């Protein structure tokens, strides 16, 4: 970012009273900050403002937490959108938000089946409308029968509507070929909600040591943000970029051994298929993690929200539950929480906030506490629950909506697979970039070799070099990505995350424009 | 509860692995537990089970928190429902859940306007359907234009869709006659979500002292549960039952003076109209609280979710923002968060999880941190946001849906007002019961004089006497209420909360059956 655009950026931020937030984003690596030591202090009364609540006396964990996917780049991107609306001249016509896995925002069409069910449960008079196929009506009726007073406006049980939990259990059974008890299924408002509910249980100082959680680096920033909020220690284990972002046992051993010196490791998070890294773990790799977690007495959290997003030939999704169960005792008795969402897959219903957590082998007392802890938030949104029902209980062969549903689903997944390949291939064709194949999920996480002068310039400005690169890209092309430092990366390497979600034509234009920018950038800073 | 039904109850619970949870509910007063001292300990490794995560090493704050509205009585009520389905003989035909403010579950019909808008935004093809009035279509179009890619399936900005925030701001301006900046409005997934976001900011030990929050007693258990989860101190101030549950300044002074010895009071919560107590504060009372909060440097949290539910003659809702602003400087510069929900009022859309928080006079840095802290949860459910839009932007005179909307709204509120009076009058006609008028909200909180023998019997069993009463009521009549101890009450007094929500005929039957039970109970334990 030129110093001109940086100062413009800070000026903008000040207008929105976000200056301090933005500055902290620009000046510190979120990843470094999150593993910092300044989280557990008792603040002394040194008021920075006359306000009752100010930066000096507010929750220090909230102050420190970062959420890179929605950081200052996105704020600047939104500002540029407003400038464009006002007619400000730019070298591009629109901002392309490749920063977040937001399918419909990028032009993906909602699945008709899902939206028809939503309309029917929202306005049950439509059940008399002959234009809706019977299988859609049946599903809507089943959901409404599960609602008190027959209305989606009633509270449900905190873990969700019984019939939907049962449908989820059947879905999991079909997927894994292993029994699933619906009482182990808790619906939630998106996977983030479920993940936080489980991590919350693990917050406990033991023998004076803080709890720690192993998370992959690069990671999805929900984890670092939640660990910061809960004042838990983040134990990063690096994924191996040279082995297609696979998990390496030696690295797991290294990270836990170091961590045990200063905290108490309680759990391990695995994201499969990977976010931001797009890998799909082999069965062998999943087995390794399970055995490691068993040996180290770790609670397993399997973030499996991209289970439908597997593209690469030879890649296959193996759920942690399936592998753990098939390994037999003692592994099959391990505690596991697995998370699923209606925001990803082929449906991409991010805004509707549906998801589920399956827990297995929990201590019954702990499970009771989990149920209690979610009860104060009453229940996850009923329409989000309804979407989850559509995902796990889709039209079956012979039903009226079956063919159109299958067609829409297959078309989304096929196009995503093509885009996954296009993105990785293109980045690999650009000098100074290398990108692992996008086997699954919705992201590429290429490595970029930045010119020394650019790195120095960024450091002089107190900005992460990959954030410097990303701001320049945004200002010059309108493409909004997330710097690798927001997810964590090996020191001295630079990456970015982009989604593969822009529709094919837009994606091709974006990649062209990205390539031109990159070559110019290399030229400018060589 | 007879010892037979108690043991049956515990047996049932064990079946559901909830024994420990239920026992802790039965054996301890939630209110006492929450202000207990056992929250901040470092656990030693004394595993109660072979599990990685067990009661001894889990989050002690979660273990201690209670949420009375969804406690063991509700679990037992659900079990009884299942018994009824299986044909088990009972002295009643159905369970009446008067434990929770769940309007549609109790037979209240959804507002047509709201559900039509929901159907249109869920399935935008319906915008071509001539059966929908134009004003409904306009509203749906405006919401969809605010959604990225024109889909409610996209993420919105974390504080919500801009146009809806603007509509909320206009609604607040109309209500108070005072300007409202939409940037101060944050949409949330029900008021509970907003309340937790604000309380979270206040979690900070200062000079080694824990933060404390003043909450009314009786209170809505979301507050005690959240304070327990956040390891904040609950500072109860008793509402004055003899002055129609008004706030008494001397009591506020007493509670804060005592609290300052062991914690650092940071904020005060006021619930107006009151839950569970049903009072509507006078303007004078609101002024008193504001002045008290100013003097004591407290952040104000105004839980105003029942602002549309004011029934009693002479009662009027005054928002904290209006009163504080009209008091002028220095009060008009005080920090305030006010909460609203689409779950209550005339709409009662509990399951759709819509709400908003308005913050005023926040330190800009703190506001930036608030915005950051909600960003990790991405966004509140878009359909919940859409419902909130309907509430704050209803049909206007001259629009096609205006009359039917007004009719439906007025009919709900009129019936609630009648039921509010019926409930209080009936309880006051029963020997050994007294009930303040239900001026607003959706609850009555009568005091009951329990026979000494019943109190002794309950204590022998280790149960709160009002829980003993409530379990008996449930087993004998199918009526599910919440014991007063779940909300807090003056020591040695006994209460319960019931909603006024059953439809008129059912409510009359319920009150008859309640009266008969009570007279029998007095006779049995005299």
């Amino acid at each position: 970012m030129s110093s001109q655009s940086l100062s413009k950026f800070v000026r903008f931020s000040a207008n929105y009273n976000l200056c301090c937030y933005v500055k902290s984003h620009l000046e510190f690596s979120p990843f470094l900050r999150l593993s910092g030591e300044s989280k557990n202090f008792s603040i002394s009364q040194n008021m920075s403002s006359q306000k009752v609540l100010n930066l000096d006396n507010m929750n220090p964990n909230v102050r420190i937490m970062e959420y890179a996917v929605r950081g200052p780049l996105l704020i600047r991107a939104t500002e540029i959108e407003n400038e464009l609306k006002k007619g400000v001249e730019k070298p591009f016509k629109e901002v392309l938000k490749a920063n977040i896995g937001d399918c419909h925002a990028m032009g993906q069409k909602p699945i008709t089946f899902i939206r028809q069910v939503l309309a029917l449960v929202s306005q049950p008079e439509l059940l008399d409308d002959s234009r809706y196929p019977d299988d859609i009506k049946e599903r809507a009726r089943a959901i409404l029968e599960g609602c008190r007073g027959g209305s989606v406006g009633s509270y449900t049980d905190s873990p969700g509507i019984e019939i939907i939990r049962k449908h989820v259990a059947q879905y999991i059974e079909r997927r894994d070929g292993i029994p699933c008890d619906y009482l182990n299924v808790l619906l939630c408002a998106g996977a983030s909600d479920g993940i936080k509910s489980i991590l919350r249980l693990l917050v406990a100082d033991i023998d004076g040591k803080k709890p720690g959680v192993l998370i992959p680096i690069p990671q999805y920033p929900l984890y670092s943000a939640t660990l910061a909020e809960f004042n838990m220690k983040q134990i990063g284990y690096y994924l191996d970029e040279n082995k297609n972002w696979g998990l390496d046992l030696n690295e797991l051993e290294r990270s836990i051994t170091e961590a045990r010196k200063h905290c108490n490791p309680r759990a391990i998070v695995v994201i499969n298929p990977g976010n931001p890294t797009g890998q799909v773990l082999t069965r062998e790799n999943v087995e390794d993690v399970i055995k490691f977690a068993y040996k180290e007495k770790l609670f397993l959290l399997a973030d499996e929200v991209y289970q439908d997003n597997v593209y690469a030939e030879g890649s296959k999704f193996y759920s942690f539950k399936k592998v753990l169960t098939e390994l037999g005792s003692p592994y099959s008795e391990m505690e596991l929480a697995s998370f699923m969402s209606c925001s990803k897959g082929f449906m991409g219903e991010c805004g509707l906030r549906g998801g589920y957590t399956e827990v297995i082998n929990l201590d019954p007392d702990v499970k009771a506490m989990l149920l209690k802890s979610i009860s104060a938030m009453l229940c996850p949104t009923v329409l989000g629950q309804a979407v989850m029902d559509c995902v796990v209980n889709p039209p079956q062969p012979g039903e009226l909506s079956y063919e159109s549903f299958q067609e829409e689903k297959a078309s989304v997944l096929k196009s995503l697979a093509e885009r996954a390949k296009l993105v990785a291939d293109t980045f690999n064709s650009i000098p100074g970039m290398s990108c692992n194949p996008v086997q699954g999920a919705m992201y590429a996480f290429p490595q970029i070799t930045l010119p020394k002068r650019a790195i120095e310039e960024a450091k002089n400005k107190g900005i992460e070099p990959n954030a410097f690169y990303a701001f320049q890209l945004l200002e010059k092309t309108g493409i909004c990505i997330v710097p690798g430092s927001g997810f964590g990366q090996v020191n001295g390497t630079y990456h970015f995350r982009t989604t593969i979600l822009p529709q094919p034509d837009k994606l091709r234009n974006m990649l062209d424009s990205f390539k031109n920018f990159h070559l110019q950038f290399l030229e400018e800073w060589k």
Side-chain angles (χ1 to χ4, degrees), chain A residues 473-495:
Chain A
L473 176 73
L474 175 63
E475 295 290 344
K476 296 194 171 161
T477 67
I479 301 169
C480 183
I481 55 169
V482 187
S485 46
F487 307 92
Q489 54 197 354
V490 171
N491 257 341
T493 68
Y494 302 108
H495 298 77

Side-chain angles (χ1 to χ4, degrees), chain A residues 346-399:
Chain A
F346 56 92
M347 46 286 181
E349 296 280 12
C350 307
L352 301 184
R353 315 309 299 130
Y356 75 73
T357 307
E358 184 194 14
V359 290
I360 57 171
N361 298 326
L362 249 55
D363 182 316
D365 291 340
V366 171
K367 193 174 159 199
M369 291 290 149
L370 171 61
L371 289 170
K372 179 185 72 172
S373 75
I374 60 172
S375 71
M377 290 305 279
L378 300 158
C379 69
T381 158
V382 178
L383 294 174
Q385 296 185 42
V387 178
M388 204 65 240
D389 191 59
C390 294
V391 172
V392 295
N393 183 30
Q396 296 303 305
E399 290 187 322

Side-chain angles (χ1 to χ4, degrees), chain A residues 126-152:
Chain A
L126 292 173
L127 285 166
D128 298 329
D129 188 322
S130 58
R131 289 173 301 180
Y132 291 88
D134 285 346
D135 54 337
I136 306 271
K137 289 183 182 174
E138 250 169 56
R139 275 165 181 81
R141 278 201 196 93
I143 294 169
L144 288 172
E145 273 164 27
C147 294
R148 300 199 172 92
S151 168
V152 292

